[in-house]
Amino acid sequence: MDARQLEYFLAIVEHGGFSKAAAALHVAQPSLSQAMANLEADLGVALFHRVGRGVVLSDAGQELLEPSRRVLRDLAAVRDTAAALAGLHGGTVEVATMPSPGIEPLTTLIHRFAELHPSVTVSTQAAFTPDEVVTLVRSGACELGLLGSANPVNPSGLDVLHVEDQPFVVVAAPGGAIKDDVTVRPKDLAGQKLIASRTGSLMRSIVDDVTAGGTGTEIVTVVDHRTSILPLVLTGVGIAVLPSSWTRLARRCGAVVAPIEPTAHLHVAMVSLPAHLTPAARAFLALTQSLAQQRVRGT
């Protein structure tokens, strides 16, 4: 077994088949197929089941996924460590992120990281629940994960860095009943139309509490993608309840943002594996810890 075989194996999984993997790797498909045949012979198990013209992972192949990712990441860490003797030069940090933390603090983190390490690429992968972030990190698909949850998380086997707590705010188009930076209470939203996420999120639970008050407030549209919410607000479809991470972007786009009382808080945290971090990921994690300390101090 060698690293090249593991790289080929992961490429087949990620690209969904031999032909696409061969094209992505710029190798001949027969060479790729032979490498997999040799790996399966060495291991004594079949890694794929052939289904029609495609392939699916066998149980043995599924079990090999996480170890393969870790082996290749460790090899990358060795290379990066050698390069890091003279500073970070190149490489990629892979971060899984939920939508709202992906606005802030991720924007600030990437901005500062790019200034400190301009040769390192930050690659983000979308996740929509804390469990999805944890799975991506635990499986080795991403080195770091940025999540927001109703309560502090404590996933087994992962390190957790608390970054900040984000209160929820009301975001609305200008010229309406909601005034910028003027605190509102649920009764002040009487008759308003609300833009909401699907049931199950903390944002939606706050909206449901507002609409349950019997003030005539109603949900006018439900969206899966949080990136749709601000444009809908700005066109006057309705108002939205969002984490305060959206405040700066919303105001730059011309929306008004008002605190809401009482409110819940989104607990933002960075999760990572205790080991197997490349120097670039460790640098990004250290920057996150520095930002968290600054926000605790209010600086």
Side-chain angles (χ1 to χ4, degrees), residues 95 97-113 145-148 161-166 243-246 248 266-270 284 287-289 291-292 295:
V95 183
T97 181
M98 291 173 61
S100 291
I103 298 292
E104 278 294 339
L106 187 62
T107 297
T108 296
L109 286 170
I110 292 178
H111 178 234
R112 294 184 184 179
F113 190 80
L146 192 61
L147 57 82
L161 170 63
H162 176 73
V163 181
E164 63 182 5
D165 292 334
Q166 297 178 1
S244 59
S245 57
W246 290 81
R248 183 168 58 180
L266 188 71
H267 299 276
V268 178
M270 178 78 81
F284 197 91
L287 180 63
T288 306
Q289 187 168 21
L291 178 67
R295 296 198 170 177

Side-chain angles (χ1 to χ4, degrees), residues 57-75:
L57 269 176
S58 67
D59 290 343
Q62 190 68 44
E63 291 295 324
L64 188 62
L65 266 180
E66 183 176 344
S68 296
R69 285 170 174 157
R70 290 192 178 184
V71 166
L72 292 182
R73 196 179 302 285
D74 285 349
L75 288 173

Side-chain angles (χ1 to χ4, degrees), residues 5 18 32-42 45 50:
Q5 289 174 319
F18 280 71
L32 182 65
S33 298
Q34 186 60 53
M36 284 302 94
N38 292 340
L39 179 58
E40 289 177 324
D42 289 342
V45 293
R50 276 64 178 176

Side-chain angles (χ1 to χ4, degrees), residues 94-151:
E94 296 164 333
V95 183
T97 181
M98 291 173 61
S100 291
I103 298 292
E104 278 294 339
L106 187 62
T107 297
T108 296
L109 286 170
I110 292 178
H111 178 234
R112 294 184 184 179
F113 190 80
E115 289 180 334
L116 293 170
H117 310 291
S119 299
V120 181
T121 300
V122 179
S123 175
T124 64
Q125 186 166 336
F128 296 94
T129 66
D131 285 345
E132 288 180 15
V133 173
V134 167
T135 297
L136 286 169
V137 173
R138 188 173 280 146
S139 69
C142 293
E143 293 188 88
L144 306 173
L146 192 61
L147 57 82
S149 58
N151 299 298

